[in-house]
Amino acid sequence: MDIIQYTPDILTPLTEFYNRLTAEVPFCYPVTQKEFALVMQNVDADEYNRSEGGLFGEKVYVAIFDDNVKAFIHIGISLKSENEEEDVGFIKFLGYERGERSDAQTLLGKAEEYLKSYNVTRIFAFSENDRYRFFHFEHAYLSTTLDHIHALLGFNGYQRSDGEVFLDWKDYTVIPNPSRIPMTLSVDWKQGEGQRPNCTVKAYKDNEEVGECWSVCGGEFSSHPDAQDWLHTVWLGIENDFQGQGLGKFLLQSTLQEMHKIGYRHAAISTDWENYRALLFYSNCGYKIVDWTYEYEKVLSKP
């Protein structure tokens, strides 16, 4: 077994490994080498402009045997948020074959030593804002489908710091139930990365906006044909004074109906891991939980 740094000549086995690893992860679809090359384009890049955001100092360590990838880790350094001044380390992705724990442990150790050389005091793994675009839908962290990766992080002192639960509704059909308050709706379509357009539906009471439902095509995250039939509702919000009167359900159902008309067949939605009110609402609208995802954080001892 060799531990090497990523170079373009191992793009093929690395892409094949990623596709095998994520085959059972909800909302993950096979990626092409071209797509995978895009997430590797800044590895070992020398220039970094903090004002533009993103990671710097990106490294990818790979465990490989007989030209077959057994594990890899993708890391970098950046700000956690615009309001913070301290750089932190990020594990953009970590994957290993079940049974290859020792190789993954070696890679994680190398990654931590490298990040420590930048004097970071915290490392975040699978952060929402620094992950592969095609890994899952928006707001996702590390899927519990990859339980062996969760176990490795936990064993090494990483703690869950955030989370998002995902629900889906395959082959959905819906007829909107009007809210108890008369409303008018506007429907706005906008073409994005997917084959079908994204949709924003707004609710108005006396010409004042009181609610919004924003849904995007699964093609925003994957070019795979199967992803194009999925819509992902990324935001549903109702003004406080109008909650509890059926408007949220009416707005969501109206969005699903409009998007079904143009060819969408499956629906996904997500919420914060601790937002049981939203989870209760979605699970009683027709959605079922398919995945829990988590971000991890490790606080390092200062040098």
Side-chain angles (χ1 to χ4, degrees):
M1 183 70 63
D2 296 319
I3 304 297
I4 63 175
Q5 291 190 37
Y6 170 80
T7 54
D9 59 296
I10 62 170
L11 177 63
T12 297
L14 194 61
T15 305
E16 293 173 348
F17 170 81
Y18 173 85
N19 285 334
R20 290 197 308 272
L21 182 72
T22 60
E24 302 300 322
V25 177
F27 314 124
C28 279
Y29 302 91
V31 299
T32 65
Q33 290 187 38
K34 182 178 180 180
E35 289 173 312
F36 208 79
L38 288 176
V39 302
M40 296 290 161
Q41 63 183 353
N42 292 323
V43 173
D44 290 327
D46 295 327
E47 298 183 2
Y48 169 68
N49 186 342
R50 175 177 280 180
S51 64
E52 296 179 357
L55 301 181
F56 73 95
E58 290 186 57
K59 296 286 184 182
V60 174
Y61 297 112
V62 184
I64 194 165
F65 180 74
D66 283 345
D67 296 326
N68 292 313
V69 173
K70 299 298 182 180
F72 82 98
I73 190 169
H74 189 160
I75 56 176
I77 302 97
S78 185
L79 297 174
K80 176 60 175 174
S81 68
E82 295 179 355
N83 299 325
E84 297 186 25
E85 297 181 355
E86 179 187 11
D87 286 326
V88 298
F90 284 94
I91 297 176
K92 195 168 187 176
F93 196 86
L94 167 63
Y96 71 97
E97 284 190 0
R98 296 179 188 273
E100 304 295 340
R101 169 189 165 186
S102 61
D103 295 321
Q105 183 67 55
T106 299
L107 293 183
L108 186 58
K110 285 182 67 68
E112 290 185 355
E113 287 302 314
Y114 171 75
L115 294 173
K116 287 178 182 178
S117 71
Y118 281 86
N119 297 319
V120 302
T121 58
R122 294 181 297 161
I123 300 175
F124 290 89
F126 290 87
S127 179
E128 175 187 356
N129 295 325
D130 286 286
R131 62 180 182 87
Y132 294 163
R133 178 184 65 86
F134 45 70
F135 177 74
H136 225 290
F137 282 171
E138 191 170 352
H139 306 312
Y141 305 101
L142 174 60
S143 168
T144 50
T145 308
L146 302 174
D147 54 303
H148 61 307
I149 301 174
H150 284 267
L152 182 70
L153 291 171
F155 181 76
N156 282 272
Y158 288 80
Q159 301 290 326
R160 288 175 176 175
S161 54
D162 212 340
E164 190 85 359
V165 55
F166 282 78
L167 305 90
D168 76 10
W169 189 356
K170 294 181 179 178
D171 298 310
Y172 74 88
T173 57
V174 62
I175 298 176
N177 294 317
S179 68
R180 292 190 290 274
I181 301 176
M183 295 286 167
T184 58
L185 301 179
S186 68
V187 181
D188 180 55
W189 300 95
K190 185 175 181 180
Q191 190 64 48
E193 297 291 329
Q195 293 179 7
R196 295 188 175 94
N198 304 327
C199 182
T200 300
V201 179
K202 296 181 179 181
Y204 297 87
K205 172 66 175 176
D206 298 329
N207 296 320
E208 178 182 354
E209 183 181 327
V210 296
E212 181 181 54
C213 185
W214 175 29
S215 301
V216 301
C217 180
E220 290 287 337
F221 315 103
S222 171
S223 64
H224 195 275
D226 292 348
Q228 313 307 316
D229 290 333
W230 282 87
L231 69 91
H232 178 212
T233 298
V234 295
W235 174 253
L236 175 63
I238 306 297
E239 293 294 332
N240 291 338
D241 292 343
F242 294 88
Q243 293 184 7
Q245 302 178 74
L247 178 55
K249 188 173 185 179
F250 175 58
L251 189 55
L252 178 59
Q253 290 178 333
S254 296
T255 300
L256 294 178
Q257 184 183 60
E258 290 294 330
M259 298 185 79
H260 195 275
K261 291 177 183 177
I262 66 167
Y264 286 100
R265 292 294 174 262
H266 316 296
I269 201 164
S270 67
T271 189
D272 183 85
W273 60 335
E274 297 177 328
N275 190 346
Y276 291 102
R277 179 182 181 183
L279 184 57
L280 183 65
F281 172 63
Y282 298 148
S283 61
N284 281 280
C285 281
Y287 295 89
K288 292 183 178 180
I289 294 175
V290 291
D291 201 11
W292 291 82
T293 70
Y294 298 99
E295 175 191 66
Y296 283 84
E297 177 185 9
K298 183 174 183 178
V299 179
L300 305 175
S301 58
K302 294 185 178 180

